[in-house]
Amino acid sequence: MESPEACSSGEASPAAAAAAERPSEAAALLALVDRVRAGEVDAAREVRRLTRASARHRRKLAAAVDPLVAMLRSGKPDAGEAALLALLNLAVKDERNKIKIVDAGALEPLLGYLQSSDLNLQEYATAALLTLSASSTNKPIISASGAIPLLVKVLKEGNPQAKNDAVMALYNLSTIIDNLQAILSVQPIPPLVGLLKGGKRSSKIADKCCALLESLLAYDQCRVALTSEEGGVLAIVEVLEEGSLQGREHAVGALLTMCESDRSKYRDLILNEGAIPGLLELTVHGTPKSQMKAHVLLDMLRNSPYSRSRLPADTLENIVTNIASQIDGEDRGGKAKKMLAEMVKVSMEQSLRHLQRRASFT
């Protein structure tokens, strides 16, 4: 509470001062939008600055979207870049602005910038499409615009940041099932494998690469392309072993999708890339989905040609022993058995803790 002295001094309270400033701020923002409408590049840069970290300014400056899109279409490099970066900031974490930007006709000039020889402009346009494609309303519109082949081209030829953003944009669009064939038609597998090989297995990009591959591997065209790519399956196995929890979930899902499509064709390939230790660890330390998928895949990798329903239920130990005996090389077999021993030890420790907790309540 304010002191009597403060109240009697005639000074306005902070709340009153803020209220007094609001009309002038609103007038300043309207004037800024008018300057953008007049084509002032510096005004677009000011919109970018104000909206970089302020959700309030993104909302208050939504009226700048249409004149910024007009500036984007101007064909002037400086104006286009300034408008592009301002629109990008306006779209971040603001669903209404994302939709408004697409409705204002931004996609056509954005696709033009995707094909720019200026790699910075190409990068900014890719980032903008990534942000806009996060909106479920925008996804079918972006898909129909012809963006997918251009994003895959960026994935192949862009700078590192543009490649990363292209993967995430393609992942966003891949949630529309009809887009999977469109993505596959422009040969995305080599650059996806290249990104997996060249980056950290636990990175967000590895997560999205594996998530996209998990969806694409439902198609034979993708399975053929992946197995034809040197180190393709191994790159997924490495994420299975070293990735984040989310990445490992998508990696085991990708391998399981392959094995379920044609067990006789892909079983030995998965085994020979050393997937067993990672699968065993996942049965204990993975997400619930990862654990379930790892158990199913381990069961499929055993040597029996019969379906699960025709066999008596096996313990995980028997399944792994069967698998390990089929792997060439003592190191792989020994590593698998060592991992099994560690897994069983962890499982026993977890069971003991569970019994102790139960005893504490009795």
Side-chain angles (χ1 to χ4, degrees):
M1 182 178 293
E2 293 178 322
S3 68
E5 290 80 8
C7 291
S8 62
S9 67
E11 294 180 3
S13 68
E21 289 174 3
R22 284 181 193 129
S24 61
E25 181 196 45
L29 294 178
L30 285 173
L32 180 59
V33 173
D34 286 340
R35 288 171 56 204
V36 174
R37 194 172 284 114
E40 289 189 31
V41 175
D42 284 343
R45 292 180 179 134
E46 180 66 5
V47 171
R48 177 196 180 195
R49 185 187 70 80
L50 290 172
T51 55
R52 181 178 289 116
S54 171
R56 181 171 65 88
H57 279 121
R58 291 181 199 122
R59 176 62 18 230
K60 289 182 176 293
L61 286 167
V65 166
D66 286 315
L68 283 169
V69 171
M71 190 180 288
L72 194 66
R73 293 175 174 275
S74 69
K76 301 174 183 177
D78 287 350
E81 179 176 334
L84 178 50
L85 292 171
L87 288 166
L88 178 56
N89 281 358
L90 280 164
V92 171
K93 297 180 181 179
D94 194 306
E95 179 72 9
R96 283 182 290 179
N97 279 351
K98 287 180 174 71
I99 295 169
K100 186 177 178 69
I101 289 167
V102 170
D103 287 346
L107 286 182
E108 182 183 348
L110 282 176
L111 297 186
Y113 285 119
L114 272 188
Q115 302 170 77
S116 173
S117 58
D118 184 328
L119 292 183
N120 287 328
L121 285 176
Q122 186 185 82
E123 176 189 326
Y124 303 150
T126 307
L129 280 171
L130 164 60
T131 302
L132 296 173
S133 66
S135 165
S136 58
T137 301
N138 287 342
K139 286 180 185 181
I141 303 170
I142 294 172
S143 303
S145 72
I148 286 174
L150 297 177
L151 285 169
V152 173
K153 187 176 181 182
V154 172
L155 180 60
K156 295 175 180 178
E157 302 173 4
N159 66 30
Q161 185 58 54
K163 288 181 178 182
N164 290 347
D165 288 346
V167 168
M168 292 194 282
L170 287 166
Y171 169 74
N172 286 345
L173 297 176
S174 75
T175 59
I176 297 178
I177 300 301
D178 289 346
N179 284 340
L180 293 174
Q181 288 280 22
I183 294 171
L184 276 174
S185 70
V186 280
Q187 290 81 48
I189 304 307
L192 284 174
V193 171
L195 275 182
L196 282 179
K197 287 179 177 179
K200 289 185 178 180
R201 309 297 186 267
S202 58
S203 68
K204 186 175 181 181
I205 298 306
D207 293 353
K208 295 302 182 184
C209 281
C210 283
L212 184 54
L213 284 168
E214 182 179 9
S215 297
L216 294 173
L217 282 165
Y219 298 87
D220 185 61
Q221 182 181 349
C222 179
R223 296 191 293 270
V224 170
L226 182 69
T227 54
S228 300
E229 190 70 20
E230 184 177 356
V233 176
L234 178 60
I236 296 176
V237 171
E238 288 175 343
V239 176
L240 178 73
E241 294 177 334
E242 305 168 22
S244 68
L245 283 175
Q246 201 64 42
R248 298 178 79 191
E249 183 178 307
H250 290 304
V252 69
L255 296 174
L256 180 58
T257 298
M258 291 180 68
C259 206
E260 286 179 329
S261 72
D262 191 333
R263 177 185 178 277
S264 62
K265 185 174 182 178
Y266 296 114
R267 174 185 176 274
D268 288 347
L269 178 58
I270 294 170
L271 284 175
N272 289 335
E273 295 296 2
I276 299 305
L279 289 172
L280 290 174
E281 186 179 358
L282 213 53
T283 62
V284 176
H285 297 301
T287 65
K289 283 185 179 180
S290 297
Q291 292 182 14
M292 177 190 70
K293 291 177 180 179
H295 277 289
V296 173
L297 184 53
L298 281 167
D299 195 32
M300 293 190 74
L301 293 176
R302 62 185 173 182
N303 198 38
S304 170
Y306 300 106
S307 67
R308 187 183 184 92
S309 62
R310 294 179 60 186
L311 288 168
D314 287 337
T315 64
L316 185 57
E317 291 89 341
N318 287 337
I319 294 172
V320 175
T321 300
N322 179 285
I323 294 169
S325 68
Q326 305 299 317
I327 304 174
D328 293 333
E330 295 180 1
D331 288 345
R332 280 185 180 146
K335 189 175 181 182
K337 291 173 183 177
K338 181 180 178 182
M339 185 66 72
L340 175 60
E342 292 173 355
M343 183 197 72
V344 172
K345 179 182 176 183
V346 170
S347 180
M348 290 176 67
E349 289 172 351
Q350 289 174 337
S351 298
L352 179 60
R353 286 195 295 270
H354 177 67
L355 289 172
Q356 288 172 338
R357 284 196 299 269
R358 286 184 60 187
S360 68
F361 289 108
T362 59

